[in-house]
Amino acid sequence: MTNSKDQLRVSFVEVEPDSAGQRIDNFLLTHLKGVPKSRIYRLLRKGEVRVNKGRIKPEYKLCSGDSIRIPPIRTSETAPAPVPSERLRELLLGSVLFENDQMLIINKPSGIAVHGGSGINLGVVETLRYALGIKKLELVHRIDRDTSGCLLLAKRRSVLNQLQDQFRAKTVQKHYQTLVEGSWPKHVVEVNAPLLKNQLKSGERMVQVTQSGKPSVTRFKILQRFDEATLLQASPVTGRTHQIRVHCQFTGHPIVGDDKYGNADVNKKMREKGFARLFLHAASLTITDIDSGKPFTVEAPLPAELLKPLELL
């Protein structure tokens, strides 16, 4: 953490090539460790943070060589960055599926947020930055806190930009496994239903199908049928918040263990069978290798807390 003497001075930071393309708000959140997010946005809104002597908006994307003016930050406004527990570090390091000098793919456990915020001190990215000593480690995409499975992180800004371009071009293939209530209709192989995200006063996010929403498409394939449920492969074409969960609810077959969009009575019954969490798992991820230009796939096996009760069905 910067000492109080340094914090009373205006500082200037020159943007390195590896940080080009990053939003100014995200850059400041990383650069000003411990400063509350609300304070950073206030600095941007008031024009106290400037780029090349000019005011900028939070969504401004930095260019190599930009000069960022950062105003004095009082010590009282900062707090020591939280340190992840040894147990959490070991859990995530033990979940690594693939790693090279460009990227990292982990089998994210359920119940861990991908990043800190909204009352959560530490997420996957903060913990792995600490455990691996890689300050520039960044999330390429996100999955819900209660969802497990493949999560891709980039070790450099240039790699992050190239991988996110693949997501925007829809060349990335993501396949999830999910257990839904009831007998999924054989003819339903795709759900094309626009989704709108709303935020309640409590801060909770709720998503609903509505014609005023954003275009959203998920493809489905039946993997196995059971007496009271169906195991599906769900492949999102678009990447909306809670997309698979809401599309399953929309068809009348909500996901087992979904406390937000599911059936409370069914969830209670399935808990008695051992299903204690949301049954949604990012089972595989296919991306294009940056160096060779060839696609490669990483698979994440179902975790024991889903596999064991599934076998009992």
Side-chain angles (χ1 to χ4, degrees), residues 36-288:
K37 187 182 291 187
S38 58
R39 171 63 171 150
I40 287 175
Y41 281 101
R42 192 159 64 246
L43 292 171
L44 288 165
R45 189 170 60 250
K46 291 184 176 181
E48 294 182 62
V49 172
R50 297 191 173 230
V51 176
N52 303 328
K53 300 182 179 180
R55 296 176 69 124
I56 36 68
K57 294 183 178 180
E59 58 268 24
Y60 171 80
K61 291 188 177 181
L62 297 168
C63 300
S64 179
D66 276 353
S67 177
I68 306 174
R69 175 198 183 275
I70 300 177
I73 306 291
R74 295 184 181 277
T75 306
S76 60
E77 294 176 318
T78 65
V83 175
S85 68
E86 184 177 353
R87 179 180 175 277
L88 181 58
R89 298 199 303 268
E90 289 179 350
L91 176 63
L92 293 184
L93 290 174
S95 300
V96 174
L97 298 169
F98 174 85
E99 182 178 8
N100 61 16
D101 62 345
Q102 297 177 334
M103 69 189 78
L104 184 74
I105 303 176
I106 71 164
N107 185 0
K108 186 190 84 68
S110 174
I112 302 176
V114 294
H115 61 82
S118 301
I120 301 169
N121 287 330
L122 290 165
V124 168
V125 67
E126 292 88 0
T127 301
L128 288 176
R129 281 173 186 161
Y130 183 93
L132 297 170
I134 304 174
K135 293 182 179 179
K136 294 185 180 293
L137 191 68
E138 297 286 351
L139 292 162
V140 178
H141 64 118
R142 301 179 183 186
I143 57 178
D144 291 345
R145 180 179 183 179
D146 294 328
T147 303
S148 56
C150 292
L151 180 67
L152 175 62
L153 301 98
K155 292 183 176 181
R156 297 196 300 273
R157 171 62 47 179
S158 57
V159 174
L160 174 69
N161 294 337
Q162 292 180 71
L163 291 173
Q164 288 184 332
D165 285 344
Q166 293 185 31
F167 275 84
R168 281 190 284 268
K170 295 182 172 58
T171 59
V172 176
Q173 293 182 26
K174 293 184 292 180
H175 297 307
Y176 290 73
Q177 287 189 18
T178 185
L179 187 69
V180 299
E181 171 192 342
S183 180
W184 184 271
K186 187 177 180 180
H187 68 277
V188 179
V189 296
E190 181 177 289
V191 174
N192 186 341
L195 298 177
L196 180 66
K197 179 172 64 177
N198 296 307
Q199 187 159 330
L200 306 180
K201 290 182 179 180
S202 63
E204 182 182 8
R205 292 179 301 174
M206 291 293 292
V207 178
Q208 62 181 358
V209 173
T210 173
Q211 289 306 310
S212 59
K214 294 181 178 180
S216 308
V217 179
T218 309
R219 295 181 180 131
F220 293 94
K221 177 183 177 182
I222 296 172
L223 297 178
Q224 191 171 357
R225 291 190 184 276
F226 302 94
D227 290 341
E228 304 170 70
T230 309
L231 182 66
L232 300 174
Q233 174 181 283
S235 305
V237 178
T238 51
R240 310 300 180 200
T241 300
H242 299 170
Q243 177 175 310
I244 297 174
R245 298 166 66 179
V246 179
H247 276 175
C248 287
Q249 178 202 42
F250 180 66
T251 65
H253 300 274
I255 296 175
V256 169
D258 193 337
D259 293 332
K260 189 185 293 279
Y261 304 105
N263 183 313
D265 291 335
V266 171
N267 288 343
K268 181 180 178 181
K269 185 176 180 181
M270 295 302 276
R271 273 195 298 272
E272 294 171 354
K273 296 179 181 291
F275 295 99
R277 50 156 284 202
L278 174 73
F279 199 121
L280 184 60
H281 177 73
S284 70
L285 180 69
T286 301
I287 62 174
T288 302

